[in-house]
Amino acid sequence: MPEDPHSSETWLPGRVLVQAATYNERENIGPLIDAILASSAEVQLLIIDDDSPDGTGQIALERAKCEPRLHVLIRRGRRGLGSAILEGFLLARSRGFAVSVNMDADFSHDPADIVRLLAALDPVGGVPVDIAIGSRCVPGGRTLGWPLSRHLTSWLVCWFTRWIIGVPVNDSSGGFRAVRLSILDRIDIGRFAQGYAFQEDFLWRVHRANGRIVEIPITFSDRTRGSSKADFAEICRSTRDLLRFARRTWLGR
Ligand SMILES: Nc1nc2c(ncn2[C@@H]2O[C@H](COP(=O)(O)OP(=O)(O)O)[C@@H](O)[C@H]2O)c(=O)[nH]1
Ligand SMILES: [Mg+2]
């Protein structure tokens, strides 16, 4: 099989790799790259694109030619937000990064919050944290611009994850997280949910491994450019995955 298109094999040494999975984010990708790289000189950025028909991956590849802190992988023949995030984690670890920050590519997550999430991983005088979640559901956190239907779906998913699957987190479905990659050595990384339910799946595994998880308030703003990929098919797939996690939690399989 031909290799996936990607940017240069030469990577600068670094500690923090921000990663954003993209699918048809043409209107967002340029400003997103600028904003993330400007958020901190410490971070590098990996764009994992699933061969977007609108050319998002190609735009990012062009930018990477003259930006050494930007890396791009265009995956061919596979799709899914969860599988993209997992591939990003493994790539980050293989390149020697200690921390990955995951975020959406539609500006729902504010790149300016990256430094707050990173600081939360290493609280001064406190115990190091494995995952710092950018949370909409703790005091100070909020969601702007969503219709009632999305508030309700999100509330239901978070309720289910907390009380049926048993993950003690308020915002389990958000995708803005700083993750200490050493946690990957303590969890089973096989057979993850491939789609959006990866977010709950990952927290479930980290919680079971006694990983430390904290929530930091963020403001989530609904996208103003491009469209959501959380379509009916994705909602059905995530619902099926969540029901499987409930079975795994209660029946052990
Ligand atoms: N690589 C990749 N990224 C995806 C896929 N589906 C969604 N995304 C990205 O995941 C992020 C969240 O998706 P979005 O459509 O904003 O979902 P919503 O915020 O729940 O409406 C965005 O950056 C999308 O471009 C996928 O199949 N592959
Ligand atoms: Mg979005």
Side-chain angles (χ1 to χ4, degrees):
M1 214 168 79
E3 205 184 349
D4 291 330
H6 56 80
S7 52
S8 161
E9 289 289 348
T10 313
W11 289 50
L12 299 168
R15 190 181 80 87
V16 180
L17 184 65
V18 178
Q19 45 162 316
T22 56
Y23 193 73
N24 287 348
E25 300 290 357
R26 186 185 179 85
E27 297 98 322
N28 290 309
I29 190 70
L32 184 85
I33 291 170
D34 292 337
I36 291 176
L37 293 179
S39 69
S40 160
E42 187 198 9
V43 307
Q44 297 186 48
L45 170 61
L46 170 65
I47 299 293
I48 304 194
D49 184 75
D50 281 353
D51 211 7
S52 299
D54 76 349
T56 302
Q58 301 304 329
I59 298 171
L61 266 184
E62 268 312 303
R63 286 288 310 269
K65 284 183 186 161
C66 43
E67 175 47 77
R69 290 162 64 210
L70 173 62
H71 312 282
V72 182
L73 173 64
I74 300 182
R75 309 194 312 164
R76 292 218 164 122
R78 44 207 196 285
R79 263 290 310 270
L81 175 59
S83 75
I85 294 173
L86 181 62
E87 198 157 336
F89 281 156
L90 299 178
L91 185 58
R93 188 173 63 167
S94 74
R95 293 284 179 174
F97 289 90
V99 171
S100 168
V101 177
N102 296 91
M103 59 194 294
D104 292 352
D106 56 358
F107 282 98
S108 285
H109 302 140
D110 184 350
D113 286 332
I114 291 172
V115 285
R116 292 174 53 233
L117 288 189
L118 288 173
L121 281 186
D122 291 294
V124 179
V127 184
V129 164
D130 295 297
I131 303 184
I133 298 177
S135 176
R136 301 161 285 190
C137 312
V138 291
R142 58 193 184 140
T143 300
L144 302 178
W146 261 5
L148 185 61
S149 57
R150 286 223 62 172
H151 279 286
L152 282 175
T153 320
S154 174
W155 181 85
L156 196 59
V157 168
C158 291
W159 183 89
F160 191 89
T161 305
R162 186 173 187 119
W163 299 111
I164 307 297
I165 303 176
V167 181
V169 159
N170 295 305
D171 188 350
S172 52
S173 62
F176 198 11
R177 299 170 177 178
V179 176
R180 195 182 298 281
L181 291 167
S182 56
I183 193 66
L184 295 179
D185 301 331
R186 288 165 47 200
I187 62 171
D188 170 16
I189 57 165
R191 300 185 50 196
F192 263 112
Q194 304 287 297
Y196 281 49
F198 174 89
Q199 308 291 12
E200 293 83 16
D201 195 355
F202 187 63
L203 289 182
W204 186 87
R205 294 180 199 220
V206 170
H207 172 60
R208 288 277 164 137
N210 291 320
R212 278 182 62 81
I213 304 172
V214 298
E215 294 184 77
I216 304 302
I218 56 150
T219 296
F220 174 103
S221 318
D222 195 18
R223 63 162 74 235
T224 55
R225 288 174 289 206
S227 57
S228 170
K229 282 86 208 175
D231 55 12
F232 184 67
E234 184 55 51
I235 291 168
C236 292
R237 188 168 18 168
S238 300
T239 305
R240 181 203 62 195
D241 288 340
L242 285 171
L243 293 172
R244 282 189 181 151
F245 304 159
R247 188 183 65 192
R248 180 175 66 183
T249 305
W250 291 95
L251 303 178
R253 60 192 163 84

